[in-house]
Amino acid sequence: MDIKQLKFLIALDETRHFGQAAARCHITQPTLSMRLRNLEQELGLELVQRGQRFEGFSEDGKRILAWARTVMAAHDGLYAEAAACRGQLVGTLRLGVVPLAGFDPMRLVKQFAEAHPGLRFELFSLSSEQILERLSSNQIDLGLSYVEHLDRQHYQSLELAESRMGLLYDQRYFQLPNQPLNWEDLAELPLGLLSSGMHFRQSIDHNLRSRGITPVPRLETDAVHQLLQAVSAGTCCAVIPLNSGLNDFTENLTLTPIEDAHTLAPLGLIMRGLGQRSALAQACFDQAKILLLNEK
């Protein structure tokens, strides 16, 4: 067994396709299949369910896959730790972010990139539940998510900011007063909202319903870029966090604060608990602390 076989196994899980997994690993598909069969023979287990195409992992395969992720995380952590001992920070920082976070993740990425030119970044749009799941399984290093009900024994968090809300609209299609709005002002507007059940949407619904307003959105989506496209097309207005950075994409977008509007839970940067975190995650977490301290 070698580390590449585990890398191939993880790539297959993430792509769910033999050809795509092979392309990601820069090898041919027959080579990937042969190396995975060699791994199965060495372990004496069938890991991958095969038909004419990839059909999933066996129950044994799912258990081995979890170990493969742990081993790969330790492997990557070893190199990152060695670089940290040399005063360097290298590798790939994997950051999970909830949709419409009330803190612009690019502020963190920009600071990390400027301080450590050798870093690469992978960003994932995930629900708050998915962020905790991927943190616990070493699939991401840090999460930008809500910190309510966070298990402080297994996770450490840095509260970033209270997520206040505003109304985003395109001034070519809507003329609204350039002053704070109230929730009642939104009742007659065509609203575009994230899909029902998403955390930020729950906060919007709570604010509206607590004032006797039942939201009837013109458009619902689980993708932030589609929401921005709809606003730019004049299809709707959208309630978004004030400090998300999303209102800066075009000069026609205007973001007006809504009075007494905030999310149900504070937003924070989350990391695995002591003994489970990588040197990379710890360094970036500490740097985020400095960023916030300098802004106070």
Side-chain angles (χ1 to χ4, degrees):
M1 181 190 304
D2 62 49
I3 202 74
K4 287 185 178 180
Q5 289 171 299
L6 304 183
K7 180 181 178 181
F8 299 158
L9 195 69
I10 293 170
L12 182 59
D13 178 48
E14 292 177 347
T15 61
R16 318 298 289 182
H17 188 279
F18 285 107
Q20 292 177 17
R24 175 180 292 192
C25 297
H26 307 291
I27 59 173
T28 64
Q29 182 173 331
T31 298
L32 179 111
S33 297
M34 178 190 69
R35 296 299 302 277
L36 290 180
R37 287 192 183 278
N38 290 344
L39 179 62
E40 289 177 318
Q41 292 173 2
E42 184 173 348
L43 296 176
L45 297 170
E46 181 186 50
L47 306 178
V48 181
Q49 295 175 334
R50 300 171 177 84
Q52 291 184 340
R53 59 181 63 87
F54 174 76
E55 296 181 354
F57 289 92
S58 66
E59 289 304 313
D60 291 333
K62 293 175 183 177
R63 294 172 63 180
I64 297 301
L65 181 63
W67 277 103
R69 291 193 180 280
T70 299
V71 172
M72 283 302 302
H75 172 270
D76 294 342
L78 185 151
Y79 279 95
E81 193 73 40
C85 292
R86 298 192 302 270
Q88 302 170 335
L89 202 60
V90 298
T92 301
L93 179 72
R94 302 162 300 170
L95 177 64
V97 183
V98 291
L100 289 185
F103 186 92
D104 185 356
M106 291 303 111
R107 291 173 59 194
L108 294 177
V109 170
K110 181 180 179 181
Q111 177 158 326
F112 298 157
E114 289 176 348
H116 308 288
L119 276 184
R120 295 178 60 254
F121 302 90
E122 290 183 356
L123 272 66
F124 304 91
S125 179
L126 304 168
S127 69
S128 52
E129 293 81 8
Q130 289 173 324
I131 284 176
L132 293 182
E133 289 173 1
R134 295 202 185 189
L135 279 170
S136 66
S137 61
N138 285 323
Q139 295 184 58
I140 59 175
D141 302 295
L142 297 172
L144 193 61
S145 183
Y146 303 101
V147 296
E148 61 178 344
H149 312 309
L150 189 67
D151 182 352
R152 305 290 176 174
Q153 288 186 325
H154 295 95
Y155 301 98
Q156 183 176 344
S157 67
L158 172 64
E159 191 166 321
L160 297 172
E162 181 184 28
S163 295
R164 297 181 57 242
M165 303 179 187
L167 184 72
L168 183 71
Y169 61 94
D170 192 310
Q171 56 192 353
R172 295 173 298 176
Y173 305 104
F174 297 93
Q175 286 73 47
L176 298 175
N178 189 22
Q179 59 186 21
L181 303 168
N182 57 51
W183 286 103
E184 287 73 16
D185 295 328
L186 276 59
E188 302 302 321
L189 292 173
L191 293 179
L193 301 175
L194 290 180
S195 301
S196 179
M198 299 179 75
H199 199 290
F200 191 77
R201 169 66 183 275
Q202 292 174 1
S203 294
I204 295 173
D205 289 349
H206 172 79
N207 278 281
L208 289 170
R209 288 171 179 159
S210 65
R211 294 165 175 81
I213 305 169
T214 301
V216 183
R218 171 173 288 183
L219 178 143
E220 294 180 272
T221 177
D222 63 356
V224 174
H225 74 277
Q226 291 179 345
L227 189 62
L228 294 177
Q229 286 177 323
V231 172
S232 295
T235 304
C236 59
C237 307
V239 179
I240 71 168
L242 291 183
N243 298 314
S244 63
L246 296 175
N247 57 304
D248 297 329
F249 284 111
T250 76
E251 61 182 11
N252 298 313
L253 295 183
T254 298
L255 181 59
T256 301
I258 302 171
E259 292 181 342
D260 192 25
H262 51 81
T263 54
L264 295 172
L267 191 77
L269 187 65
I270 305 174
M271 176 175 60
R272 286 187 295 275
L274 188 64
Q276 303 176 24
R277 66 191 63 154
S278 67
L280 184 59
Q282 182 68 66
C284 291
F285 189 87
D286 291 341
Q287 194 161 350
K289 284 184 182 179
I290 297 173
L291 172 64
L292 295 181
L293 183 63
N294 291 339
E295 292 180 349
K296 290 184 178 179

